[in-house]
Amino acid sequence: MYRLVWFQHVHKAAGSTIVNQAVANGETLFPIHENGNPCTEDGELIPIWDFDEEGVGDFVDECETRGVSFVATEWGAPNYSALCDDPRVFLVTCIREPWSRLISNFNYDYYLGYADSSTLTGYFNEEHRIKMDNLLIRIFANKLGANKDSLGHGELADALDNLLLFDLVIVTDRDGDLGMHLFEALGWEKKNVDSHSTFGNLWTLARLLRRLRLFSAIKYLLKMKLPVSEEERALFEVHSNLDMELYHRVCEDEIRGRGHPLERGSGE
């Protein structure tokens, strides 16, 4: 039976590790892709998160025809109900404690040159798409572009309902190093792959040196995380209170997904 692993990537929550594990385990990705995200022949991301129910079905049909067995969505939130209803799809995601994810994202963007500010307050003012307030709520309630004042407990409920549609929900802090859930569910073996971690990348160090960011290069070599204040953390928790509640609900309610793909009749 054909099986398509559909991975909802939350940035800096072990996403690249999962994509690289898929590659190492012989999954077939789209002919042109960006970290698992399908692209057109011109290298443009295919906005599969904008597809309606029929569009999702057509795309899965295309993947089956091409022999594609793994896709990721990192820059948008797809139609989870349509994916859940398709017996060919195994829907998986991985989330991380919101504050830890943000700090990782902040350091990654700064050292790789995607952010200019070395302070968290300045980083927020740069309005990076992947560090918005209540990011988990936005992704799993399909509200990525919503005004922050329009997000409330209704969206929290929607996000939790959508997470229950997943076959597998991994929590890095709970399951530890992806646990064995991912490998058991998909029949993968744990491989030694690039995790795209912030520190220890010679390419990143060389890029800092080329840009004459010498002080930053020294801090990078010493694996120095950028400083943040307690006031900044408190402000984040106020603005991302829904994310914090979602995260604790997922952990406390033991939301792990609906089970092994073979139980859905979509296994190998």
Side-chain angles (χ1 to χ4, degrees):
M1 296 287 292
Y2 171 69
R3 179 191 71 188
L4 176 64
V5 180
W6 192 296
F7 173 50
Q8 181 59 48
H9 184 161
V10 178
H11 203 69
K12 302 312 294 177
S16 295
T17 299
I18 291 176
V19 173
N20 289 333
Q21 286 288 352
V23 174
N25 277 274
E27 300 289 353
T28 302
L29 279 62
F30 225 68
I32 302 175
H33 68 89
E34 182 179 314
N35 203 22
N37 297 264
C39 296
T40 66
E41 292 183 358
D42 297 327
E44 298 294 326
L45 288 173
I46 300 174
I48 48 181
W49 45 84
D50 290 336
F51 293 172
D52 59 15
E53 185 173 354
E54 182 178 357
V56 168
D58 291 342
F59 181 76
V60 176
D61 289 343
E62 180 183 357
C63 288
E64 183 171 10
T65 299
R66 289 174 174 260
V68 172
S69 61
F70 182 96
V71 300
T73 39
E74 183 177 0
W75 304 106
N79 188 320
Y80 298 120
S81 295
L83 292 170
C84 174
D85 290 341
D86 194 320
R88 299 169 294 177
V89 174
F90 184 79
L91 191 55
V92 60
T93 194
C94 186
I95 67 175
R96 181 179 181 182
E97 192 278 322
W99 173 251
S100 297
R101 189 212 69 82
L102 172 68
I103 295 305
S104 178
N105 205 152
F106 172 39
N107 282 274
Y108 184 86
D109 282 356
Y110 174 75
Y111 281 115
L112 268 73
Y114 300 135
D116 296 323
S117 179
S118 60
T119 69
L120 189 60
T121 300
Y123 179 67
F124 272 121
N125 289 335
E126 292 181 36
E127 298 184 355
H128 294 275
R129 182 178 181 184
I130 52 180
K131 59 82 192 154
M132 292 186 297
D133 59 286
N134 292 311
L135 179 66
L136 295 177
I137 297 294
R138 293 176 179 277
I139 289 174
F140 295 109
N142 294 94
K143 295 289 186 179
L144 274 169
N147 184 290
K148 66 179 182 180
D149 295 330
S150 67
L151 299 176
H153 281 82
E155 285 68 34
L156 170 63
D158 290 342
L160 287 168
D161 286 345
N162 280 333
L163 280 169
L164 291 173
L165 301 178
F166 279 72
D167 294 284
L168 181 62
V169 177
I170 302 167
V171 180
T172 59
D173 320 81
R174 177 187 68 188
D175 301 322
D177 194 25
L178 302 185
M180 289 307 295
H181 305 290
L182 179 73
F183 306 101
E184 291 173 356
L186 297 176
W188 291 356
E189 294 181 4
K190 188 175 181 179
K191 307 285 188 177
N192 184 21
V193 300
D194 183 6
S195 64
H196 287 197
S197 59
T198 299
F199 296 104
N201 189 314
L202 293 178
W203 180 88
T204 300
L205 178 60
R207 185 175 181 179
L208 288 169
L209 293 172
R210 284 197 305 270
R211 298 180 65 187
L212 300 180
R213 295 176 60 188
L214 302 182
F215 185 57
S216 294
I218 293 172
K219 291 194 296 182
Y220 185 80
L221 277 171
L222 296 175
K223 298 183 178 180
M224 293 177 58
K225 293 183 179 179
L226 298 169
V228 293
S229 68
E230 287 301 318
E231 290 79 6
E232 287 172 323
R233 176 165 187 164
L235 187 62
F236 168 79
E237 292 183 355
V238 168
H239 288 297
S240 288
N241 63 312
L242 296 173
D243 257 19
M244 303 300 291
E245 185 171 349
L246 173 72
Y247 175 78
H248 291 303
R249 286 283 301 275
V250 169
C251 292
E252 291 171 3
D253 296 347
E254 288 293 299
I255 295 176
R256 294 183 181 273
R258 299 185 299 154
H260 195 284
L262 291 177
E263 297 174 3
R264 300 182 60 201
S266 58
E268 298 166 324

